[in-house]
Amino acid sequence: MNWVSSLCALYDANAYRAGEVERWKGKDLVLLPIGYDTMEAQVEIHIDQNGNFIRARTLEKDEAETLVPYPDSRASGIKALPLFDGLSYIAGDLLETVTFYFSGAKNEKDKKKKKARLRESFPLYIAGLKAWCESPFSHPKVAAIYHYVGKQTVAKNLIDSQVLVADENSIVSDKIKIQNASVEKAFVRFRVFTNDNNSPDSILSDPDNAHDSAVWLDKTVQRSFIAYYSSTLHKKDLCYMTGEHMPIAKTNPVKIRGKWDTKAKLISANDESNFSYRGRFNTKEKKTGYNEALSIGYNTSQKAHNALKWIIRRQGFSRDGVCLVAWENALRDLPNFHDSAASILAKVSDDGEADEAEFEEEALFEEDEADVPVTNYVSAAKFNAALDGYASKLSDISNMVVLALDSATPGRLAITYYKELKSSRYLKNLRTWHESCCWKHEYIRDKELKVYEGMASIPEIALAIYGTEQGEDKSNPKIKLSKNSDNKSPMLVSAFERLRPCIIEGAAIPRDMVRAAVLKASNPLAYEAKFNYRKVLHIACSMVKRLYWEKKQRNEREGVIFKMELDRSNRDRSYLYGRLLAVAERVERVTYEKGETRITNAERYMQAFSHAPFRTWTMIWSNLQPYMRQLKPSGREFYKNLVGEITEQFKYEERISGDPLDGKYLIGYDCQRSELKRKPNGQSSSEEENKKENNEGEE
């Protein structure tokens, strides 16, 4: 199926939800009925079933969102909406009641035009409402609204209700705002109260919500408008998406990624002048909006766009220009491919813990990791068990759709990625990604250090590779990505685009991203916070591990599957040099006083060491001797033996080679660091004694 077919199928499967506001994970969610959109209302008017005014009030922001009939013809000449609209359309007495200064007008001629436009607004609205009420699809609540607005007392009623308030000169002016909206643009919705005597049981059991005074939530009103508007669509043509003859869409919906997205369209051909050559096809007809070159059915367009809006708000991810969504055909919960292993497990765990803190948001950067208690450890086995739990709920026909959106300009929206695959394959590829990248990662929540095995999230990877420490607070620096003039991060968008196929399709990890991660991890002096550097180091190790795992799958000579534990049998030159660097760092650090955070020589020379290890190691070893002399004899002997043991595993010509190290040295470095920090069963007794003597603290 193409993306339109997939979205139409999603809409049809959930059509029973259309028009019903659901509470979903703390937010209101609604699948828009065909021909509907949402608007922010500022004014609510209450009337009875006979069209008599009861009261009016202003609306707060958290209750303002309103389902509104929004016909396709709105952009084709008919400016008035059929039911709810701005005061300039609904209040027939607005010009006689409110004093308009037209402060934005350039001259008197401009003021006359604005006044004439206001005078034409109410007749357009009342004519449209009359046509609906006189059609076979009329509705009593719509008729009540028609009778009320026909009296042309809306503005007067709003003044009496103190919604429109006079200024200090007792003049109701257009300069007065209603919930930050100008008087003529203040959007109005209606409640219609009926005299029906219904039992509470009948009201609660009504699936159409017909007893609710909120007209915008009444499904019978929604169906009434859909039937009425469909009866006005006479011209039919071939829908290129479905192959059926049906009424054709003249325009296509907006607000796809969110209510702020008021301009970007997925399908648009708004180039009536200076357009590109279209061959023998006619151009768009200005009166009807139809185009001979391409036609899309109205229902098809509405279903596809409304389903996409709904699924994005339900389970989509949007940040810095990135907008992506994945769903299973039966809407079963499946893990997000862009999440970390800890986030995926947290969503199925009993404790309901939220996703781990990311660099730029909630993480607390502790200098002394020994002071931060480890309260949670997520092993690879737990993660795999979680994926097995997801897989057990799937049917044989379960399919997954992954879709990504982006906009190069405010008016154009594009699908940058679309993939359909079996849900079982999706989970298999997700498991492979986390297994092939498996490393120990850390995050801090509520001052508690938490560790998990797997891979970090895509935003965290982007921060590690492309981010820099920023912020005036030196005690808690944060890693952030640079942003452009649109306040978007191009590097985050790039990370999603390039890593998405690796996770979903099993594609090769980009080599340049691995190199960038290794370079970042080779420069610990760029990070004030040790926690930040450890995050960067561990993500680099994950990416290096994935790179050589891929080579192993292709049976290349360099291919190897690295373990997270120290491999004493590994004789790779880079791996061994990484081990030596970790030993040098440890020797110096164990001599520090408790709480001392001074940079070690190993860290200071790390970048140079990765380029010229043999020459740099000579300097590091020479600078290490004063610290060796501070150790107890047993400790000194232990580290000398360890260095000798590692050195003996080198091939002589490789040890003295001037070639730079590859990313495997970070694997050896981190594994050796972890081995030397084990307590007490994995640690030498000589070092334990030396720690007690020097009262040293962890980094």
Side-chain angles (χ1 to χ4, degrees):
M1 290 195 297
N2 58 38
W3 65 272
V4 174
S5 300
S6 297
L7 289 168
C8 286
L10 177 65
Y11 190 95
D12 290 338
N14 294 277
Y16 66 94
R17 304 175 189 262
E20 183 177 341
V21 179
E22 299 175 296
R23 196 68 179 169
W24 178 260
K25 295 184 178 179
K27 59 185 177 182
D28 289 337
L29 186 69
V30 60
L31 176 61
L32 295 176
I34 292 173
Y36 270 72
D37 203 344
T38 56
M39 300 288 284
E40 297 285 326
Q42 286 79 40
V43 179
E44 182 177 277
I45 296 178
H46 299 183
I47 60 175
D48 64 20
Q49 61 186 3
N50 299 316
N52 299 313
F53 176 78
I54 300 174
R55 68 180 71 85
R57 68 185 186 96
T58 56
L59 297 169
E60 299 298 329
K61 192 171 183 62
D62 59 352
E63 59 176 341
E65 192 167 55
T66 307
L67 278 173
V68 177
Y70 204 96
D72 195 32
S73 56
R74 169 80 165 183
S76 306
I78 302 176
K79 295 183 179 181
L81 291 176
L83 192 58
F84 310 138
D85 212 326
L87 265 179
S88 59
Y89 288 96
I90 288 177
D93 58 336
L94 191 64
L95 276 173
E96 289 72 30
T97 310
V98 177
T99 302
F100 283 86
Y101 293 97
F102 300 111
S103 53
K106 299 177 182 178
N107 47 47
E108 287 299 323
K109 185 177 180 181
D110 194 21
K111 286 185 178 181
K112 288 182 180 179
K113 284 185 178 180
K114 288 179 178 290
K115 193 170 185 177
R117 195 177 300 118
L118 276 176
R119 199 175 296 280
E120 294 169 359
S121 297
F122 177 74
L124 285 173
Y125 170 77
I126 199 69
L129 198 58
K130 180 181 179 182
W132 183 358
C133 291
E134 291 179 351
S135 73
F137 311 102
S138 180
H139 192 281
K141 290 182 179 178
V142 178
I145 294 172
Y146 171 65
H147 292 313
Y148 167 66
V149 296
K151 300 174 184 178
Q152 300 189 39
T153 60
V154 173
K156 179 180 179 303
N157 294 149
L158 294 182
I159 293 173
D160 295 339
S161 301
Q162 296 295 302
V163 173
L164 284 174
V165 184
D167 60 17
E168 62 274 9
N169 299 318
S170 300
I171 296 174
V172 179
S173 168
D174 67 336
K175 296 179 181 180
I176 297 173
K177 301 287 185 181
I178 303 176
Q179 298 294 69
N180 296 320
S182 61
V183 170
E184 70 273 14
K185 293 182 178 180
F187 200 85
V188 180
R189 72 185 188 192
F190 293 94
R191 282 185 180 270
V192 177
F193 293 87
T194 63
N195 296 328
D196 298 335
N197 295 320
N198 297 291
S199 66
D201 289 340
S202 64
I203 294 175
L204 293 174
S205 62
D206 179 17
D208 293 329
N209 210 31
H211 302 298
D212 196 331
S213 60
V215 179
W216 60 95
L217 298 177
D218 189 337
K219 289 189 176 184
T220 61
V221 175
Q222 295 168 11
R223 287 198 292 267
S224 169
F225 169 73
I226 294 170
Y228 161 67
Y229 183 65
S230 298
S231 69
T232 66
L233 301 176
H234 302 296
K235 185 172 181 178
K236 295 184 178 181
D237 206 339
L238 177 66
C239 172
Y240 278 60
M241 296 297 179
T242 63
E244 300 176 10
H245 276 78
M246 61 175 65
I248 297 303
K250 303 171 189 175
T251 61
N252 293 282
V254 292
K255 301 181 187 176
I256 294 170
R257 293 171 293 180
K259 59 185 178 182
W260 49 269
D261 200 13
T262 57
K263 293 183 179 180
K265 288 185 177 182
L266 267 177
I267 304 172
S268 177
N270 188 21
D271 55 350
E272 295 175 0
S273 61
N274 300 322
F275 49 80
S276 56
Y277 177 65
R278 292 184 179 141
R280 62 191 296 175
F281 294 110
N282 292 328
T283 61
K284 183 176 179 179
E285 298 179 28
K286 292 185 178 180
K287 290 185 178 180
T288 64
Y290 296 113
N291 195 321
E292 192 180 17
L294 175 68
S295 54
I296 300 172
Y298 175 70
N299 277 6
T300 302
S301 175
Q302 286 286 312
K303 286 182 178 181
H305 285 87
N306 290 351
L308 184 55
K309 291 181 185 181
W310 176 69
I311 200 67
I312 286 175
R313 287 155 179 76
R314 188 179 191 269
Q315 57 197 60
F317 174 91
S318 296
R319 184 184 300 171
D320 288 357
V322 176
C323 181
L324 54 90
V325 62
W327 71 90
E328 193 260 350
N329 57 347
L331 290 182
R332 296 180 181 92
D333 286 333
L334 288 180
N336 294 320
F337 70 88
H338 51 82
D339 280 345
S340 69
S343 296
I344 292 172
L345 185 58
K347 291 175 181 176
V348 296
S349 62
D350 294 334
D351 58 10
E353 181 184 337
D355 295 352
E356 77 273 11
E358 293 182 355
F359 286 131
E360 78 277 27
E361 295 178 347
E362 300 177 47
L364 302 174
F365 304 99
E366 302 288 345
E367 290 295 336
D368 191 347
E369 62 179 307
D371 293 337
V372 186
V374 178
T375 60
N376 183 45
Y377 185 85
V378 177
S379 66
K382 290 182 180 178
F383 174 75
N384 286 328
L387 291 187
D388 289 339
Y390 281 114
S392 65
K393 300 176 183 178
L394 299 178
S395 65
D396 294 336
I397 59 171
S398 176
N399 291 314
M400 193 78 184
V401 176
V402 183
L403 186 147
L405 302 164
D406 197 8
S407 58
T409 64
R412 293 291 184 270
L413 188 63
I415 294 177
T416 57
Y417 183 85
Y418 177 77
K419 185 71 176 179
E420 289 185 52
L421 68 166
K422 288 286 186 182
S423 300
S424 56
R425 183 186 167 198
Y426 172 82
L427 290 177
K428 179 182 177 181
N429 290 347
L430 187 62
R431 187 194 302 268
T432 300
W433 168 254
H434 284 275
E435 286 180 350
S436 61
C437 299
C438 188
W439 209 254
K440 292 180 181 178
H441 300 276
E442 304 169 344
Y443 65 99
I444 296 175
R445 181 173 292 280
D446 299 330
K447 297 185 179 181
E448 294 178 342
L449 183 68
K450 301 179 184 292
V451 182
Y452 65 92
E453 294 177 359
M455 186 45 159
S457 65
I458 292 182
E460 287 181 299
I461 296 171
L463 286 164
I465 298 176
Y466 306 118
T468 55
E469 276 191 344
Q470 300 176 24
E472 299 178 356
D473 187 1
K474 297 295 183 182
S475 62
N476 186 20
K478 299 178 180 179
I479 294 184
K480 295 183 178 181
L481 294 169
S482 59
K483 296 191 176 184
N484 57 21
S485 57
D486 296 329
N487 200 34
K488 296 178 180 179
S489 174
M491 302 315 296
L492 179 62
V493 177
S494 174
F496 269 95
E497 289 180 351
R498 305 189 66 194
L499 292 176
R500 189 168 49 221
C502 303
I503 305 172
I504 298 173
E505 303 172 35
I509 193 168
R511 300 291 182 90
D512 62 301
M513 293 186 74
V514 179
R515 286 195 296 269
V518 171
L519 289 174
K520 282 282 190 176
S522 299
N523 188 19
L525 301 185
Y527 303 92
E528 292 286 337
K530 299 294 183 184
F531 180 85
N532 283 349
Y533 174 68
R534 292 199 302 272
K535 291 284 287 185
V536 172
L537 172 63
H538 296 157
I539 287 173
C541 288
S542 281
M543 299 185 76
V544 171
K545 181 179 180 180
R546 168 74 182 198
L547 175 64
Y548 287 94
W549 176 88
E550 290 175 358
K551 291 184 177 184
K552 183 71 172 178
Q553 305 309 305
R554 295 191 293 266
N555 294 319
E556 295 182 16
R557 183 176 59 84
E558 292 183 332
V560 62
I561 297 177
F562 286 106
K563 299 177 182 178
M564 290 183 290
E565 303 301 327
L566 181 64
D567 183 4
R568 289 183 169 83
S569 64
N570 193 323
R571 301 189 65 184
D572 180 85
R573 170 178 177 265
S574 295
Y575 190 89
L576 292 174
Y577 264 123
R579 290 184 63 187
L580 285 177
L581 188 67
V583 173
E585 178 189 334
R586 186 65 179 178
V587 168
E588 184 172 347
R589 195 170 296 282
V590 296
T591 64
Y592 288 178
E593 297 293 331
K594 183 175 177 62
E596 189 174 353
T597 59
R598 179 163 46 89
I599 297 294
T600 64
N601 282 288
E603 293 171 303
R604 184 175 292 110
Y605 288 111
M606 189 172 184
Q607 196 169 32
F609 181 81
S610 66
H611 295 294
F614 179 69
R615 185 182 61 189
T616 311
W617 173 249
T618 304
M619 292 187 291
I620 294 174
W621 182 249
S622 176
N623 292 334
L624 200 62
Q625 298 314 302
Y627 300 101
M628 292 286 284
R629 288 192 288 271
Q630 294 182 43
L631 300 175
K632 290 185 67 175
S634 57
R636 188 161 52 247
E637 189 69 19
F638 169 77
Y639 285 113
K640 282 184 178 180
N641 290 339
L642 183 55
V643 170
E645 174 191 322
I646 297 171
T647 305
E648 286 177 358
Q649 296 188 63
F650 279 99
K651 294 179 182 178
Y652 179 73
E653 62 275 11
E654 291 184 350
R655 185 170 67 88
I656 65 173
S657 171
D659 294 339
L661 301 176
D662 57 38
K664 292 193 290 291
Y665 96 93
L666 292 175
I667 300 282
Y669 170 71
D670 193 50
C671 288
Q672 186 67 71
R673 282 177 89 240
S674 300
E675 180 72 15
L676 290 173
K677 287 188 293 185
R678 292 182 185 277
K679 303 178 183 180
N681 53 351
Q683 187 178 50
S684 70
S685 58
S686 59
E687 184 180 345
E688 188 67 22
E689 292 170 3
N690 195 76
K691 285 177 63 177
K692 292 178 181 177
E693 179 180 311
N694 291 281
N695 194 27
E696 67 97 7
E698 290 291 334
E699 55 186 306

